[in-house]
Amino acid sequence: MSTSNQTEEKIEDIVAKIAELSRLSINSEEIPAYQQQLGHIIQFVKQLDDVGTENVEPMAHPQDQSQRLRADSVTESDQHKYFQENAPLVEAGLYLVPKVIEKAEE
Amino acid sequence: MEWEVVIGLEIHAQLSTKSKIFSGASTAFGAMPNTQACAVDLGFPGVLPVLNSEAVTMAVKFGLSVDAPISKRSVFARKNYFYPDLPKGYQISQFELPVVGKGSIDIELEDGESKTIGITRAHLEEDAGKSLHEDFQGKTGIDLNRAGTPLLEIVSEPDMRSAKEAIAYMKKIHSLVQYLEICDGNMQEGSFRCDANVSLRKKGAEKLGTRAELKNINSFRFVERAINVEIERQAEILESGGKVVQETRLYDDALNKTFSMRSKEEANDYRYFPDPDLLPLEIDDAFIEAQKKTLPELPDQKKRRFIDQYALSLYDASILTSNKDLAAYYEQVVDASGKQSKLSVNWVNGELAASLNKENMQIAQSPIKATDLGVMVGLISAGEITGKIAKTVFEYMWNGEGDPLAIIDKHGLKPITDSAELEKLVDDIIAANPKQVEQYQGGQQKLLGYFVGQAMKVTKGKADPAQLNQLIKKKLK
């Protein structure tokens, strides 16, 4: 019983961490539902474990083609005024965002 | 307890392409904010990245110069994290299949020994934008001009055992990328940056200790200091029975301390996956062979040649070849001097290096042209001017007067070699110093120096001291 509880707690933490990484705000009541849904997804994907992949080269792209390259030349012109029409806040040519601080602690 | 220091470096070299790695926006430094950030760099919906061929060429050149295999097939991956200066929410990088594989480079240690440092890999990636935290009252300003600038991340093996070795390695890579002309190496502008992974383990232990990563240190001096204070910090923790935490730390040069940077640890799950917007990069043998042929003479080859061809010491050759421009300058001086390779190195690594250092200038900014310095060296070796006069000539050249022959003419620095003129001058000095003459003739041989000194003073250094010596000795016999 106690071991199962510990595992449950751990999974709750995992769900919370995934939410944090995805920048999703979820409350603790929602966690069991997400936990269940994520569990289903993992079970579904887990079926792949049964497939023998020893001699299969990992696929990086579904199309069997290679990258086409462009010449190194400047082809873009300055359109920042146009792009910045979409920005909520601009000053001195800079996009302004809520203050981000690299918090350093001893 | 004796601790062994283990250091690995991740160097980010900004590739000197004209346009960005995945877009046609300019990479020129110093433009007005956001004027060089196009729709691709900004991550607008519907845009697609297209890889810059020159960035690939540069990565291949680097790989070849460190004897690393070039991957026939490499893959771009998305490294996901949230930060305002990363508009797409991911950085395009390479993960499992980098373009450059395992290589190595030799560094020289202070005792003259050399040591091979392994290079784990080098991969292509895009740079992020810049965040400006000051001046915007509670807001952060974002400049995305740098977003999408091509970087080559060069990852070393944990092969370095001291801060000094780490610096030697960093300087070697710094010199190499400039020889290859793939990076301008400008550290103030952030074209060449370094993260250091530092850990300690008990002497003789196999297993690596827990490491701390020191981020973005932008000068050789600070890298050395940051590593050393970090070593001290970890040793203190371990000595007192504690454990080092794996984390990212920032170096504060004003306090000479490293600080934990917790904010980045939170989201340290990059969820790499192959970028579906970019097909695998394929490089064929013909391309690699063609690049091999374009490689310039590299620092180590040049160093060996300088030792052979110019009979230089390892020390002098190392200094000269540490910088491509300096090496080229030296060779021009030698040519103009009539192959006076040793006298040339004395002036280049001596007087000139000191003057440049004092003004905090690079060799490329030298106010003295290599050919002018070479001509001057030639004049010294031919006995046309004395070393003392040469220093005066050097001063005039440093102040922009150019041609040493013209300087000698204009400022009347021609040496006095006419023996009749010198004889007259020595006679005058003897006549004016009867007391010293008496003492000298009474056995005080060291007064010879006094007479020579007087003669040099009168001639303003334009006479040859050896010639004066002989002449005065003869006269006072």
Side-chain angles (χ1 to χ4, degrees):
Chain A
M1 192 63 185
S2 69
T3 38
S4 137
N5 263 344
Q6 269 174 13
T7 330
E8 299 268 297
E9 262 172 31
K10 249 185 157 177
I11 290 173
E12 271 179 31
D13 287 348
I14 293 169
V15 173
K17 172 133 198 251
I18 292 169
E20 160 80 23
L21 288 172
S22 318
R23 296 298 187 270
L24 292 174
S25 156
I26 60 172
N27 58 45
S28 52
E29 284 124 60
E30 292 173 296
I31 288 183
Y34 280 115
Q35 186 180 321
Q36 212 182 18
Q37 287 168 10
L38 285 170
H40 287 322
I41 295 169
I42 289 164
Q43 283 307 318
F44 174 72
V45 177
K46 257 202 163 161
Q47 294 177 69
L48 287 172
D49 286 355
D50 300 332
V51 184
T53 53
E54 271 132 69
N55 299 316
V56 180
E57 202 187 312
M59 183 180 75
H61 201 279
Q63 275 167 294
D64 189 19
Q65 285 176 4
S66 66
Q67 179 72 224
R68 277 175 57 185
L69 306 178
R70 41 170 266 274
D72 178 28
S73 57
V74 177
T75 52
E76 295 283 345
S77 53
D78 172 20
Q79 298 187 73
H80 79 282
K81 288 217 172 85
Y82 170 62
F83 292 136
Q84 290 185 339
E85 281 172 17
N86 293 316
L89 215 52
V90 171
E91 194 184 312
L94 297 158
Y95 296 92
L96 292 192
V97 299
K99 187 136 188 155
V100 191
I101 304 173
E102 289 294 346
K103 210 171 154 202
E105 292 168 42
E106 207 160 334
Chain B
M1 180 79 66
E2 256 201 278
W3 302 101
E4 184 178 42
V5 179
V6 178
I7 303 166
L9 297 185
E10 286 165 24
I11 290 173
H12 286 91
Q14 218 172 69
L15 298 175
S16 356
T17 55
K18 293 188 209 67
S19 64
K20 300 218 172 142
I21 184 166
F22 297 117
S23 82
S26 170
T27 55
F29 182 83
M32 293 299 284
N34 292 306
T35 55
Q36 292 176 171
C38 71
V40 175
D41 309 325
L42 295 172
F44 270 41
V47 300
L48 280 174
V50 188
L51 185 56
N52 184 336
S53 59
E54 194 57 24
V56 175
T57 304
M58 289 177 172
V60 169
K61 280 185 179 168
F62 176 81
L64 292 172
S65 73
V66 294
D67 293 323
I70 306 302
S71 304
K72 299 279 168 58
R73 183 171 175 276
S74 69
V75 169
F76 285 93
R78 291 184 180 181
K79 178 180 179 177
N80 299 277
Y81 65 92
F82 288 96
Y83 208 71
D85 58 26
L86 188 77
K88 295 194 295 295
Y90 60 86
Q91 176 195 26
I92 305 177
S93 179
Q94 295 192 298
F95 188 53
E96 278 169 306
L97 298 165
V99 61
V100 173
K102 215 170 159 64
S104 69
I105 196 165
D106 289 340
I107 58 167
E108 237 151 61
L109 307 179
E110 277 182 330
D111 57 9
E113 294 286 304
S114 76
K115 176 172 176 174
T116 302
I117 304 295
I119 290 171
T120 315
R121 58 185 281 165
H123 65 254
L124 284 165
E125 62 182 28
E126 59 178 342
D127 208 345
K130 259 186 196 157
S131 299
L132 303 151
H133 300 293
E134 291 89 34
D135 306 336
F136 301 104
Q137 291 162 12
K139 301 275 179 196
T140 292
I142 307 289
D143 176 8
L144 294 168
N145 279 348
R146 201 179 63 184
T149 297
L151 298 177
L152 187 66
E153 178 172 336
I154 303 156
V155 183
S156 86
E157 292 286 298
D159 283 348
M160 288 148 277
R161 295 289 170 268
S162 67
K164 284 231 151 48
E165 284 185 24
I167 298 304
Y169 166 79
M170 196 177 161
K171 284 190 170 161
K172 197 65 185 273
I173 298 284
H174 188 243
S175 150
L176 181 62
V177 294
Q178 290 178 81
Y179 265 76
L180 293 168
E181 294 178 351
I182 63 173
C183 171
D184 66 18
N186 190 325
M187 294 172 84
Q188 277 98 38
E189 291 177 5
S191 305
F192 191 85
R193 317 194 282 268
C194 174
D195 301 339
N197 289 308
V198 180
S199 67
L200 300 185
R201 66 179 168 192
K202 279 181 199 158
K203 200 136 204 166
E206 276 284 318
K207 201 167 161 273
L208 292 172
T210 309
R211 67 189 157 90
E213 184 178 6
L214 304 175
K215 275 271 179 207
N216 269 338
I217 332 172
N218 65 355
S219 82
F220 292 120
R221 197 159 50 100
F222 287 165
V223 171
E224 183 165 356
R225 281 166 55 181
I227 290 174
N228 281 329
V229 295
E230 180 59 18
I231 291 170
E232 270 174 47
R233 186 190 73 91
Q234 292 188 15
E236 262 172 46
I237 292 174
L238 295 169
E239 293 284 353
S240 60
K243 274 191 175 144
V244 174
V245 183
Q246 180 165 346
E247 61 182 352
T248 303
R249 296 182 72 85
L250 274 185
Y251 175 68
D252 183 324
D253 55 271
L255 297 168
N256 196 29
K257 267 179 121 167
T258 65
F259 290 91
S260 178
M261 213 175 112
R262 300 259 160 84
S263 58
K264 281 224 167 158
E265 296 309 298
E266 288 296 323
N268 211 349
D269 185 341
Y270 294 129
R271 292 163 293 146
Y272 281 98
F273 63 86
D275 192 325
D277 287 346
L278 287 157
L279 289 155
L281 168 64
E282 281 179 7
I283 298 173
D284 60 26
D285 286 329
F287 181 79
I288 295 170
E289 282 309 311
Q291 289 315 313
K292 252 183 209 162
K293 293 204 180 86
T294 70
L295 284 188
E297 184 183 36
L298 298 175
D300 283 347
Q301 297 166 336
K302 203 183 277 284
K303 185 169 67 191
R304 278 191 292 275
R305 176 168 68 81
F306 274 26
I307 291 170
D308 291 345
Q309 186 177 341
Y310 300 122
L312 297 182
S313 67
L314 174 65
Y315 177 79
D316 280 332
S318 297
I319 293 179
L320 290 174
T321 57
S322 66
N323 178 309
K324 178 171 67 89
D325 295 337
L326 181 62
Y329 186 97
Y330 169 73
E331 294 205 272
Q332 285 180 330
V333 173
V334 175
D335 277 349
S337 74
K339 308 284 169 211
Q340 296 301 316
S341 64
K342 284 194 177 161
L343 197 53
S344 295
V345 78
N346 291 345
W347 280 89
V348 173
N349 283 354
E351 204 75 14
L352 181 68
S355 302
L356 290 170
N357 250 335
K358 211 167 93 191
E359 301 292 325
N360 207 3
M361 285 159 95
Q362 297 297 311
I363 187 72
Q365 302 162 288
S366 168
I368 300 181
K369 276 198 298 187
T371 45
D372 287 339
L373 187 60
V375 167
M376 189 197 85
V377 167
L379 293 174
I380 303 171
S381 79
E384 300 273 332
I385 54 171
T386 61
K388 193 156 183 251
I389 289 294
K391 287 202 174 166
T392 310
V393 175
F394 183 90
E395 291 283 315
Y396 285 120
M397 291 199 296
W398 182 264
N399 292 324
E401 291 200 23
D403 180 12
L405 289 165
I407 290 171
I408 290 167
D409 246 17
K410 183 177 161 200
H411 298 279
L413 295 172
K414 265 218 176 67
I416 303 166
T417 45
D418 178 9
S419 48
E421 193 181 344
L422 282 179
E423 232 170 287
K424 161 120 199 343
L425 196 141
V426 168
D427 285 342
D428 287 350
I429 290 168
I430 288 172
N433 296 283
K435 218 169 109 197
Q436 281 84 354
V437 171
E438 201 180 308
Q439 284 169 341
Y440 175 83
Q441 283 165 339
Q444 288 199 44
Q445 298 285 318
K446 64 172 188 240
L447 272 169
L448 179 64
Y450 171 80
F451 292 111
V452 175
Q454 289 296 310
M456 291 301 279
K457 211 162 135 191
V458 173
T459 59
K460 297 199 180 87
K462 286 184 286 184
D464 174 17
Q467 197 184 350
L468 278 175
N469 243 318
Q470 260 184 344
L471 192 63
I472 294 168
K473 261 191 194 162
K474 201 177 82 190
K475 292 258 175 197
L476 291 179
K477 229 182 223 163

